[in-house]
Amino acid sequence: MLQVRGVKVRYSGAVLALQAVSLDVPSGAVVAVLGSNGAGKTTLLRSVSGTLADHGGAVDEGAIEFEGASLVGRSAAELAANGLVHVPEGRRVFTRLTVAENLRAGSFAVRDRARRAAAARRVHELFPVLHDRRDQRAGLLSGGQQQMLAIGRALMAGPRMLLIDEPSLGLAPQMVDRVGEVIKEINEQGTTVLLVEQNASMALSVASHAVVLTLGIVTLSGAAADLAADPSVRELYLGIRPETERGTPSGDTRSATAEAARVPAGTGARLGRWEL
Ligand code: ATP
């Protein structure tokens, strides 16, 4: 459904954020992108969603195709109208607008009333709390509820594919689990998902496939279950030490430094691995 081939991205014509990234997201899949701070995860989503230029970035080389058509140079609004919708990092809801107004903003480009109503029903069923709080200002919602609203607003556009950036960021563990369940449910309803996450434990529990980005390069890719069993992923991204198998399974990759992410070759037989 989505194909990324040899994509190189620079910011301000100088900072090289992605070096030669390739990735496939098959229809119906949840593909997770894992990696430490600054690895290029958000840049990858921006490249796909048409928002890179807003941040001073540009795709220098490579190809990105969604359902066979090139995405490079197309605007986020155009892509959203074609079924590819981005939920950016940091739950950018309109804090002064009500929950209902935020949701309506998500469907402004959908002309078909029946489709709009179906999307509203879906959001209501997935997030009853948003219905209960529809007249409340979005800024008064909890962090978890704001994340639900950001996802709900994206769903109002009736996407065939969602790009979700760090939905667990800053949320309590229980809410992180809930976000994971919601992503699973959305996918089971037929929406393909490309998920960027530092919480590897949550991401690998919902994803069918995953890639690890390290300093703008895909260093590991494969089935999510294979990555979850890979010793380097377990140690660096799941916080499980091989010698003890106890560790602290925080699942937060923020502590994994780029240096530590240099993975040893030759382990994980079913995984594609690239040496830096
Ligand atoms: P994080 O989890 O911290 O958001 P990330 O994996 O999403 O990390 P990116 O935000 O994509 O990483 O950043 C990749 C690289 O590009 C980093 O070196 C970062 O400093 C740089 N970068 C990101 N945005 C910009 C920008 N607007 N202008 C210049 N450089 C940028």
Side-chain angles (χ1 to χ4, degrees), residues 94-144:
F94 302 116
T95 52
R96 289 163 160 252
L97 300 186
T98 65
V99 168
E101 287 164 342
N102 267 275
L103 292 176
R104 272 204 296 279
S107 65
F108 83 98
V110 181
R111 300 221 175 279
D112 184 331
R113 284 178 66 177
R115 267 188 57 207
R116 268 210 312 266
R121 266 197 310 278
R122 181 185 187 191
V123 171
H124 180 177
E125 281 163 17
L126 271 169
F127 309 116
V129 67
L130 296 183
H131 185 71
D132 299 343
R133 306 209 170 196
R134 61 192 174 279
D135 297 322
Q136 199 172 82
R137 272 209 215 165
L140 298 176
L141 298 179
S142 70

Side-chain angles (χ1 to χ4, degrees), residues 11 15 17 36-43 46 55 89 166 198:
Y11 287 103
V15 182
S36 312
N37 262 335
K41 306 180 298 297
T42 293
T43 301
R46 288 174 182 162
H55 299 273
E89 184 178 343
E166 298 272 9
Q198 293 222 8

Side-chain angles (χ1 to χ4, degrees), residues 53-192:
D54 302 339
H55 299 273
V59 175
D60 267 9
E61 280 175 25
I64 309 177
E65 289 189 354
F66 178 60
E67 296 178 329
S70 174
L71 297 189
V72 178
R74 294 172 73 189
S75 72
E78 203 184 333
L79 295 175
N82 281 292
L84 183 62
V85 180
H86 190 174
V87 183
E89 184 178 343
R91 335 182 244 282
R92 307 238 180 81
V93 297
F94 302 116
T95 52
R96 289 163 160 252
L97 300 186
T98 65
V99 168
E101 287 164 342
N102 267 275
L103 292 176
R104 272 204 296 279
S107 65
F108 83 98
V110 181
R111 300 221 175 279
D112 184 331
R113 284 178 66 177
R115 267 188 57 207
R116 268 210 312 266
R121 266 197 310 278
R122 181 185 187 191
V123 171
H124 180 177
E125 281 163 17
L126 271 169
F127 309 116
V129 67
L130 296 183
H131 185 71
D132 299 343
R133 306 209 170 196
R134 61 192 174 279
D135 297 322
Q136 199 172 82
R137 272 209 215 165
L140 298 176
L141 298 179
S142 70
Q145 289 164 348
Q146 288 190 18
Q147 185 61 65
M148 301 298 174
L149 179 56
I151 295 173
R153 191 177 60 192
L155 289 175
M156 291 295 288
R160 291 193 296 289
M161 182 165 174
L162 270 187
L163 310 167
I164 312 181
D165 197 351
E166 298 272 9
S168 76
L169 200 63
L171 300 185
Q174 228 181 345
M175 191 47 79
V176 173
D177 292 344
R178 178 72 194 119
V179 168
E181 286 164 14
V182 159
I183 293 171
K184 242 187 205 163
E185 210 168 326
I186 288 170
N187 175 250
E188 283 162 7
Q189 292 171 348
T191 308
T192 304

Side-chain angles (χ1 to χ4, degrees), residues 9-12 15-18 33-46 52 54-57 89 165-166 169 196-198 213 215-216 253-254:
V9 169
R10 281 184 200 279
Y11 287 103
S12 315
V15 182
L16 185 59
L18 297 183
V33 181
L34 312 177
S36 312
N37 262 335
K41 306 180 298 297
T42 293
T43 301
L44 175 62
L45 285 200
R46 288 174 182 162
L52 195 55
D54 302 339
H55 299 273
E89 184 178 343
D165 197 351
E166 298 272 9
L169 200 63
V196 155
E197 255 300 338
Q198 293 222 8
L213 263 186
L215 299 174
T253 63
R254 280 184 190 276

